[in-house]
């Protein structure tokens, strides 16, 4: 066992003495040491009750003869960090989480790892660490919150953001906003729609690193606690069989994750995270692979913000396994892939079935013939950009309009709230990329304001930053190269015509090539917005969005 290096033999008596200072017995020290990365805190709704999950994991580990040892990791609530300087730190926290788990696991010679997580950057950060360490590992999430109810209709966090825009445009009263605010998030858990947290929890299951149900069982259900106990028990099986993350996270497993991504209509952020996780697993994943999968994979679900259903509905309808079983009928799933159940995908989905075809449609009756995401390329984004096409109004799939250019999210939000954005406009928000932001902020406030004002079917938004998984409409993010690197987006001028062709996978700045070259030759990078601390160091070493925004 790896842990022998900190507990076995005469020369390790001082080490054992320190363990005994914490109350560990000789019997516990003879067992495998299982590290539990615990991201519980009092600031994220999805993490506020993770101690319950950790306790259940510990029970499962002890049932199978292991010694569980929990340690803390950081986590940021993207909703609370949204639309202020805090959001610059969100994506960057992914690297800190991965690094801190690596440090703890190696320094203390853990034999295996259980990753207890739930929300946006914590899930991919932990998966990156699992792939990097390559110790037997399993991920267990805290589960999604239930949807709220307002006037008989289901609502969620995005409903609140969009209600703010509706109040600003006079479509909703402040009293109605208050009622929505009070009812949108009724329980603990990751926010109820197919936003980034739930997208990544579902893809954790699809890639084989989470047990069936990991992505969809609601946080408040007893089944979630039982799943956590099962995760604790299964980690001991994985250790015994020497099943490690790189045996699970293969090229075919990432293909499975992409297929489920397209079928569910997941967050655009999954592109960033899957590329980053694949890199740690030694798998090369390119943007073109997402387009190829999107062309082959039908969109089977319309989950908020693209539709009316929520994660509780997906769970009731059969969950991720039912989606994978349906996709397997078309040969879109590599069912030989190994998973943390110790069995193959084929074994896991054998008894799965769709229980509600209004939530999970069949291959014969998909919402769209193509997948939920699309990668666009062109002179405005030579290295690519991404859009959740399943959440775009049909009339905006092809659009051409004049650019309204803003050098920050705040500038754009002020203009939107002031009512100065008109139908047909293409809002360009730049210097919000990984380096320029820095930190590649999510921008749910401007997109929600546009939607709340009823303009999401007429206005496009383009940025080198990111959009939330809760964003709907023609919101095109991750434009690469970003403005801070001298990408074409840096020299767009007000009134320039921009053509968007999502079916054709093209995005074009309709300015003569010679004029673009002249503008670029005159361009000079602005001073960094933040010059001290972690985020300044991050900005100096981070890659582009097309490469997963990983620290080089």
């Amino acid at each position: 066992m790896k842990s022998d290096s900190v507990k076995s033999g005469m020369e390790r008596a001082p080490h054992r003495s320190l363990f005994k200072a914490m109350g560990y017995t000789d019997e516990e020290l003879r067992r495998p040491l299982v590290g539990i990365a615990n991201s519980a805190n009092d600031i994220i709704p999805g993490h506020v009750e993770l101690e319950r999950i950790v306790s259940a994991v510990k029970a499962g580990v002890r049932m199978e003869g292991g010694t569980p040892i929990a340690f803390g990791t950081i986590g940021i609530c993207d909703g609370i960090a949204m639309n202020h300087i805090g959001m610059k730190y969100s994506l960057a926290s992914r690297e800190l989480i991965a690094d801190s788990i690596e440090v703890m696991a190696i320094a203390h010679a853990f034999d295996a790892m259980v990753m207890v997580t739930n929300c946006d950057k914590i899930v991919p950060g932990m998966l990156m660490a699992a792939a990097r360490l390559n110790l037997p590992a399993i991920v267990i999430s805290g589960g999604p919150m239930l949807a709220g109810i307002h006037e008989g209709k289901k609502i969620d966090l995005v409903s609140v953001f969009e209600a703010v825009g509706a109040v600003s445009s006079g479509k909703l009263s402040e009293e109605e906003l208050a009622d929505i605010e009070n009812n949108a998030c009724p329980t603990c858990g990751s926010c109820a729609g197919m936003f980034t947290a739930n997208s990544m929890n579902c893809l954790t299951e699809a890639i084989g690193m989470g047990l069936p149900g990991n992505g969809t069982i609601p946080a408040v259900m007893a089944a979630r606690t039982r799943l956590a106990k099962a995760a604790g028990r299964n980690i001991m099986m994985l250790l015994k069989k020497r099943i490690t993350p790189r045996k699970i996270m293969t090229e075919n497993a990432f293909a499975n994750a992409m297929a489920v991504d397209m079928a569910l209509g997941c967050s655009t952020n999954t592109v960033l995270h899957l590329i980053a996780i694949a890199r740690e697993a030694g798998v090369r994943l390119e943007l073109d692979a997402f387009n190829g999968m999107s062309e082959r994979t039908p969109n089977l679900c319309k989950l908020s913000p693209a539709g009316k259903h929520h994660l509780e509905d997906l769970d009731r309808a059969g969950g991720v396994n039912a989606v994978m079983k349906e996709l397997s009928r078309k040969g879109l799933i590599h069912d030989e892939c190994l998973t943390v159940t110790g069995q193959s995908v084929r074994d896991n989905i054998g008894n799965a079935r769709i229980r509600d075809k209004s939530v999970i449609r069949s291959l014969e009756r998909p919402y769209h013939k193509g997948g939920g995401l699309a990668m666009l390329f062109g002179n405005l984004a030579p290295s690519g950009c991404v859009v959740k096409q399943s959440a775009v109004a049909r009339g905006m799939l092809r659009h051409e309009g004049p650019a309204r250019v803003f050098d920050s999210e705040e500038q754009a939000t002020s203009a939107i709230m002031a009512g100065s954005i008109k139908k047909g406009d293409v809002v360009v928000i730049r210097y919000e990329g990984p380096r320029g932001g820095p930190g590649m902020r999510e921008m749910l406030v401007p997109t929600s304001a546009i939607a709340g004002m009823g303009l999401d079917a007429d206005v496009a938004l383009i940025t080198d930053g990111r959009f939330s998984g809760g964003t709907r409409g023609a919101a095109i993010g991750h434009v690469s190269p970003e403005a801070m690197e001298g990408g074409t987006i840096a020299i767009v001028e007000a009134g320039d015509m921009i053509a968007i062709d999502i079916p054709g996978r093209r995005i074009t700045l309709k300015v003569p090539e010679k004029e673009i070259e002249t503008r670029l030759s005159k361009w000079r990078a602005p001073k960094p917005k933040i010059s001290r601390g972690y985020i300044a160091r991050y900005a100096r070493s981070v890659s582009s969005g097309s490469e997963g925004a990983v620290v080089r």
Side-chain angles (χ1 to χ4, degrees):
M1 292 188 292
K2 286 185 179 293
S3 60
D4 286 344
S5 63
V6 297
K7 67 183 186 183
S8 296
M10 180 186 67
E11 70 278 10
R12 293 297 183 251
H15 302 64
R16 292 192 296 274
S17 181
L18 290 169
F19 275 102
K20 289 175 179 179
M22 296 179 280
Y24 291 97
T25 66
D26 285 327
E27 174 59 28
E28 286 176 300
L29 294 180
R30 280 192 287 271
R31 298 173 177 178
L33 302 185
V34 178
I36 301 176
N38 175 13
S39 57
N41 58 44
D42 292 341
I43 193 65
I44 308 178
H47 291 239
V48 72
E49 288 198 357
L50 285 187
E51 291 292 358
R52 171 172 56 89
I53 301 298
V54 171
S55 294
V57 170
K58 287 180 177 179
V61 171
R62 290 192 183 105
M63 283 182 206
E64 300 300 324
T67 297
I69 301 175
F71 62 90
T73 66
I74 65 168
I76 289 176
C77 177
D78 278 17
I80 295 173
M82 195 72 65
N83 199 229
H84 59 90
I85 192 173
M87 181 47 75
K88 295 178 185 291
Y89 290 78
S90 176
L91 181 59
S93 73
R94 184 188 71 181
E95 317 303 310
L96 281 177
I97 291 161
D99 290 351
S100 66
I101 293 172
E102 174 195 351
V103 167
M104 291 294 287
I106 293 177
H108 301 106
F110 293 135
D111 296 300
M113 295 291 304
V114 180
M115 315 290 193
V116 181
T117 180
N118 211 11
C119 290
D120 293 30
K121 308 310 166 300
I122 303 96
V123 181
M126 289 189 172
L127 284 166
M128 289 167 69
R132 186 185 303 172
L133 290 165
N134 205 33
L135 295 171
I138 190 168
V139 176
I140 173 71
S141 79
M145 69 171 63
L146 299 179
I149 300 291
H150 173 68
E151 294 185 350
K153 293 183 179 179
K154 286 186 177 182
I155 58 172
D156 52 43
L157 180 66
V158 171
S159 308
V160 191
F161 277 98
E162 293 185 359
V164 173
V167 171
S168 298
S169 62
K171 295 183 177 182
L172 199 70
S173 70
E174 290 191 27
E175 290 76 16
E176 288 174 295
L177 171 61
D179 187 62
I180 293 171
E181 172 189 332
N182 290 331
N183 290 288
C185 300
T187 72
C188 67
S190 47
C191 296
M194 190 53 80
F195 315 143
T196 303
N198 291 326
S199 295
M200 289 309 303
N201 284 325
C202 287
L203 297 191
T204 296
E205 193 177 327
I207 208 170
M209 287 298 294
L211 294 174
N214 179 74
T216 60
I217 296 172
V220 295
M221 299 298 188
R224 176 60 60 177
T225 304
R226 295 196 297 270
L227 192 73
K229 288 181 181 177
R233 297 187 70 179
N234 273 50
I235 192 60
M236 298 304 294
M237 175 273 296
L238 294 173
L239 177 59
K240 184 178 180 179
K241 292 185 175 181
R242 298 181 181 177
I243 296 175
T244 56
R246 291 192 188 182
K247 292 179 181 178
I248 294 172
M249 288 194 277
T250 63
E251 184 176 348
N252 282 347
F254 279 99
N256 287 346
M258 286 191 288
V260 172
D261 195 345
M262 298 304 165
L264 291 177
C266 290
S267 164
T268 53
N269 289 311
T270 58
V271 176
L272 282 176
H273 299 322
L274 286 177
I275 290 173
I277 297 162
R279 180 174 177 267
E280 295 287 359
V283 174
R284 188 171 181 81
L285 195 56
E286 305 280 1
L287 281 182
D288 277 340
F290 289 88
N291 267 346
M293 187 61 72
S294 183
E295 288 166 6
R296 297 193 301 274
T297 310
N299 179 217
L300 304 181
C301 300
K302 277 275 192 183
L303 298 154
S304 175
K308 63 180 181 179
H309 297 129
H310 292 81
L311 266 290
E312 62 197 68
D313 302 310
L314 179 60
D315 187 65
R316 175 177 50 78
V320 173
N321 266 0
V323 173
M324 295 182 79
K325 180 71 172 287
E326 187 66 12
L327 293 175
S328 70
R329 291 177 49 223
K330 194 180 177 183
L332 290 165
I333 294 295
H334 298 276
D335 62 7
E336 80 289 351
C337 288
L338 185 62
T339 75
V340 291
T341 64
Q343 299 179 307
S344 68
V345 170
R346 184 185 305 113
D347 296 323
N348 292 348
I349 67 175
N351 295 322
R353 64 183 177 87
I354 299 174
R355 296 190 179 95
D356 186 340
K357 290 191 175 181
S358 70
V359 178
I360 304 172
R361 289 193 174 183
S362 67
L363 291 171
E364 291 75 25
R365 201 174 64 89
Y367 282 102
H368 302 286
K369 290 182 179 179
L373 302 181
M375 312 301 123
L376 312 184
F377 296 86
N379 66 352
L380 186 54
S383 298
C385 55
V386 59
V387 61
K388 183 188 276 196
Q389 62 179 352
S390 60
V392 178
R394 186 175 297 275
M396 288 297 289
L397 290 172
R398 288 187 174 88
H399 177 75
E400 185 173 319
R404 299 292 306 279
V405 183
F406 304 94
D407 287 346
S408 70
E409 178 189 1
E410 289 84 358
Q411 287 181 10
T413 300
S414 295
I416 293 166
M417 291 297 195
S420 62
I421 302 301
K422 308 301 180 187
K423 288 184 177 183
D425 284 348
V426 177
V427 176
V428 176
I429 308 174
R430 62 192 179 194
Y431 296 108
E432 291 289 5
R435 286 182 59 193
M440 205 178 187
R441 285 195 285 185
E442 279 188 353
M443 286 174 265
L444 182 55
V445 169
T447 60
S448 295
I450 287 285
M453 291 175 173
L455 293 172
D456 56 301
D458 301 285
V459 171
L461 294 96
I462 298 173
T463 183
D464 52 7
R466 301 181 296 129
F467 291 118
S468 164
T471 291
R472 61 187 172 97
I476 300 165
H478 312 185
V479 170
S480 300
E482 63 174 291
M484 197 66 172
E485 290 185 327
T488 309
I489 193 172
I491 53 82
V492 177
E493 295 180 357
D496 286 347
M497 297 301 290
I498 294 176
I500 299 162
D501 181 1
I502 294 174
R505 306 294 193 255
R506 300 295 297 172
I507 185 165
T508 307
L509 176 65
K510 302 195 79 174
V511 169
E513 202 59 39
K514 223 165 212 184
E515 172 64 15
I516 291 175
E517 291 173 6
T518 299
R519 292 184 193 179
L520 285 171
S521 69
K522 296 177 181 178
W523 174 85
R524 298 293 180 271
K527 289 182 179 179
K529 295 175 183 175
I530 297 176
S531 57
R532 299 181 63 189
Y534 169 66
I535 201 69
R537 297 196 303 274
Y538 174 86
R540 289 194 293 270
S541 57
V542 69
S543 72
S544 74
S546 63
E547 297 173 344
V550 296
V551 170
R552 296 186 180 94

